[in-house]
Every structure is written in structure tokens, then in C-alpha cells.
Amino acid sequence: MTEARVTLVLGGARSGKSRHAQALAEATGGALVFVATAQALDEEMRARVAQHRADRDPRWRTVEAPLSLAETIVAEGRPGSVLLVDCLTLWASNLLLGEEDAAMALEALDAALRETAARVVLVANEVGLGIVPDNALARRFRDLAGMINQRVAARADRVVFVAAGLPLVLK
């Protein structure tokens, strides 16, 4: 990630996208900030969050931003720092379930990515490869996640798709 200021890492569940994104961020040599969008609302999710934290060494500082992603990027986006946002898909779920104005949040995210002085690596699930969901909420989620991915990919200097742990540079 020597030249890319904004990188989007996409992939399916358990594809290796988070591991790849972390390696990209760590390769920069900057101050490392993990921007967590997950909300540990049950025991299984708490265990996942704990495992993700254990996978990061002490160089990382964690900031939780389940909804205020743009504001966090603005606040933490200093020159010489690298922000790892994991993940946009959980952020989309948080926006949807919290009945937030997703269009306004996405505008703010786009502006934050455009203006930040930091390098930013964002992780997202590619949700458009499966079947059409059978209920309205799931379809709204899939549509929102796809819209976020497209908007961030357009803003990004680099886009990487990870499948089976193997990265494929798309942009």
C-alpha cells in the first residue's frame, strides 16, 4: 500500500479479507488505528471481537465506531496514520437497524475519505454474489451494502477482491 491513500478490500465471509487488509495497513509503517464497526451484542459476537483483538499486536489502537464512521475518520485521520475500518458491511447493518439516514451517512463517509490526511483501508463483504434474499429487510440490506461498496470503490485508489485468501487487484 505504498501509493494508495484509500484502499477497499472486498471478499466473502471467511475469505481472508480482514487478514489481507491488516497486512496492508501494517506494511505502511504508520501509526495504526483499528476502526471497529461491530457491536458485540451477544456472546458469539463478543468472542469474535475478542479473537480479532487478539490477532492484532500492541501497535494497534482501537476506536469503536458502530455508526459514526465518517466522524471517526475525520477525528483520527492525521498524517502518518493508517486507519483500518472493519467493516463497512456491519456499518451498513448498524445504519439499517438503527433507522439512520444511510444516504446522508454515505455522503459523510465519502467526504471524510476525500479529505482525510491518513491512509485508510476499508473492509467489506461482497454481498452481490448470492441469491436474491427472500424478505424485504434482507433485500434492503443487500442493496445498501452494494451501494456503499460501489461508492467507496469509486473513491478508492485501490480495490482488492479476496477469495480463498488470495488477493486480486481490481483497481
Side-chain angles (χ1 to χ4, degrees):
M1 192 173 128
T2 55
E3 296 176 24
R5 193 175 56 77
V6 176
T7 299
L8 174 62
V9 179
L10 297 164
R14 310 307 302 164
S15 64
K17 64 190 174 299
S18 291
R19 183 174 44 252
H20 182 74
Q22 183 175 330
L24 288 176
E26 289 174 345
T28 67
L32 300 170
V33 180
F34 188 90
V35 181
T37 62
Q39 297 183 79
L41 301 176
D42 60 37
E43 190 56 42
E44 187 268 342
M45 194 60 166
R46 283 189 284 279
R48 285 179 179 267
V49 168
Q51 183 59 54
H52 266 279
R53 283 184 187 232
D55 290 343
R56 296 188 300 274
D57 66 43
R59 294 177 294 169
W60 287 93
R61 184 169 57 84
T62 300
V63 177
E64 295 184 8
L67 291 170
S68 59
L69 184 53
E71 297 88 338
T72 300
I73 290 170
V74 168
E76 298 291 336
R78 295 182 268 301
S81 63
V82 59
L83 310 180
L84 173 54
V85 177
D86 198 354
C87 82
L88 290 175
T89 314
L90 285 172
W91 180 64
S93 179
N94 296 341
L95 291 172
L96 190 63
L97 295 176
E99 298 182 5
E100 300 289 327
D101 185 337
M104 189 169 75
L106 185 50
E107 285 296 325
L109 174 60
D110 189 47
L113 292 174
R114 183 178 60 245
E115 300 299 326
T116 187
R119 292 184 187 267
V120 183
V121 180
L122 304 108
V123 177
N125 288 296
E126 176 49 66
V127 299
L129 298 174
I131 61 171
V132 175
D134 70 346
N135 66 77
L137 178 60
R139 287 189 295 275
R140 284 181 42 220
F141 168 75
R142 184 229 23 220
D143 293 349
L144 177 58
M147 182 175 62
I148 290 169
N149 287 352
Q150 288 185 50
R151 183 74 175 268
V152 173
R155 171 64 54 206
D157 303 301
R158 180 188 337 206
V159 178
V160 180
F161 183 79
V162 179
L166 302 172
L168 173 65
V169 176
L170 302 177
K171 175 182 177 186

